Amino acid sequence: MGRIVQKFGGSSVADAESIKRVARRIARTRADGHEIIIVISAMGDTTDELMDLALKVSPRPQSRELDMLLTTGERQSAALLAMALADLGVDAVSYTGSQAGILTTPTHGNARIIDITPGRVVRSLDEGSVVIVAGFQGVAQSTKDVTTLGRGASDTTAVALAAALGADHCEIYTDVDGVYTADPRIVPSARRIAKIGYGEMMELAAAGAKVLHLRCVEYARREKVRVHVRSSFSDKPGTWVVPQEELTKEATMEEAIITGVAQDRGDAKITIIGVPDQVGEAAAIFQAISEAGINIDMIVQNVSRLSDVSTDISFTLPMDDGQRALEALEAIRSQIGFKEILYDDQIGKISIVGVGMRSHPGVTATFFKALAEQDVNLQMISTSEIRISVVVGSDDVDRAGRAAHAAVGLDADDPALVYAGPGR
Ligand code: ADP
Ligand code: ASP
Ligand code: MG
């Protein structure tokens, strides 16, 4: 008998019938004698709908109250799932994140888990119940207010609980058969990856492959939690996310150079024109952005034009933070003395990821040639040891992703299966 954490995403519990379907699946695992902790997301598009509702009531909802509102989505599905399990004769109890002992930092909308005190969860498991925990939420240790952990963060709740409870592994149930070499909705020729290392999975998640929340993978790597990503709509094996060493040991001569391609449409680009080319200016700009609590991704600074000894700096940031970044920059415009700020949210990022590229020259050339053949213009480029990312116009993102996937030799013969609708 083992202890397993299973997380079901919003697309797996989109309506009453799906909740009953998931309950039947959990009942089967329970009948095998396992101790089960379920982490559940809000039904379908509930979180987006609650967000829309808040914006109709107030253009700038207070972050504390927004968290109070958004956490109700997961609370609803947790309670409904407990009811469905009871009807199947399975003892089940639902808990909010706070009741489950998920303690976080006080940053509303993007809190981090700092500790888990799962006393009630353990007691319920000891009593033989299936425990259902509302994902995506916790309670701030300092303020005692309810917090959310960021969009898509029920994955992180699941892995954090798996670590705290010493579970054998963590299963993430979603609407595709695992992690693919690209988003199968956009690249139908994507292949399922049977096993992937934490490092590459982190790069893919950071580059926009939303199948796993980035912080969940960071957590899994730190706490050595093995994660099985699979479909709640089929019984097929999915993708195991495991320590990188395990893969290196198994590596064969034909090891793929590129693991996958990721696309991200969630970023915007800000260009600051005419920044005086002197020491400290970039520091001041990014200090202002960081004080506004905004994470940036790529940065490009051009060489100064001799005529006016000034430079232009471009960077990308989450689209949702665009307005706040513009306000933060306006506030330091006179101190720095730049000329103009340009904002562009009609962009997307394509990244190719793979540890094999460390030792294989020419990957960049293959990638860029494929984009050139599609007439795609590259606006920004950045690289890490195992990733190459480019920013392109938003209309080019899907075409460029498919072309890159084919060019680096990842295309499969059969199209990938996608079980649920696209959501929002
Ligand atoms: P859930 O509601 O289960 O949390 P998400 O919508 O957050 O599901 O994540 C699953 C989706 O992630 C898939 O439907 C797919 O469109 C998308 N996705 C993006 N990149 C990948 C990838 N590399 N492999 C699999 N799915 C991916
Ligand atoms: N319901 C939350 C969201 O839509 C969390 C999650 O699904 O993981 O972002
Ligand atoms: Mg998700």
Side-chain angles (χ1 to χ4, degrees), residues 17-135:
E17 203 35 62
S18 317
I19 290 181
K20 290 203 259 180
R21 181 178 59 84
V22 164
R24 286 194 293 275
R25 183 168 194 134
I26 295 168
R28 283 206 302 276
T29 317
R30 179 76 191 121
D32 290 341
H34 298 293
E35 279 187 331
I36 311 171
I37 302 96
I38 303 295
V39 172
I40 194 88
S41 288
M43 295 168 70
D45 293 328
T46 302
T47 310
D48 288 315
E49 285 157 10
L50 289 171
M51 188 73 98
D52 289 351
L53 189 58
L55 293 174
K56 275 190 201 150
V57 170
S58 157
R60 281 193 172 207
Q62 292 161 286
S63 57
R64 178 188 184 279
E65 302 309 329
L66 199 54
D67 277 357
M68 285 294 282
L69 178 72
L70 296 185
T71 48
T72 62
E74 270 66 16
R75 189 168 172 156
Q76 178 190 51
S77 47
L80 290 168
L81 183 61
M83 295 174 197
L85 281 166
D87 282 350
L88 297 174
V90 177
D91 278 337
V93 56
S94 69
Y95 289 127
T96 63
S98 163
Q99 289 173 324
I102 301 194
L103 305 177
T104 73
T105 57
T107 319
H108 287 293
N110 199 21
R112 280 172 182 271
I113 297 175
I114 45 181
D115 197 8
I116 301 191
T117 52
R120 292 186 76 179
V121 173
V122 172
R123 271 198 299 285
S124 296
L125 288 174
D126 289 347
E127 286 161 13
S129 294
V130 169
V131 175
I132 304 165
V133 178

Side-chain angles (χ1 to χ4, degrees), residues 11 175 185 418-423:
S11 53
D175 58 359
R185 287 178 198 279
V418 177
Y419 298 91

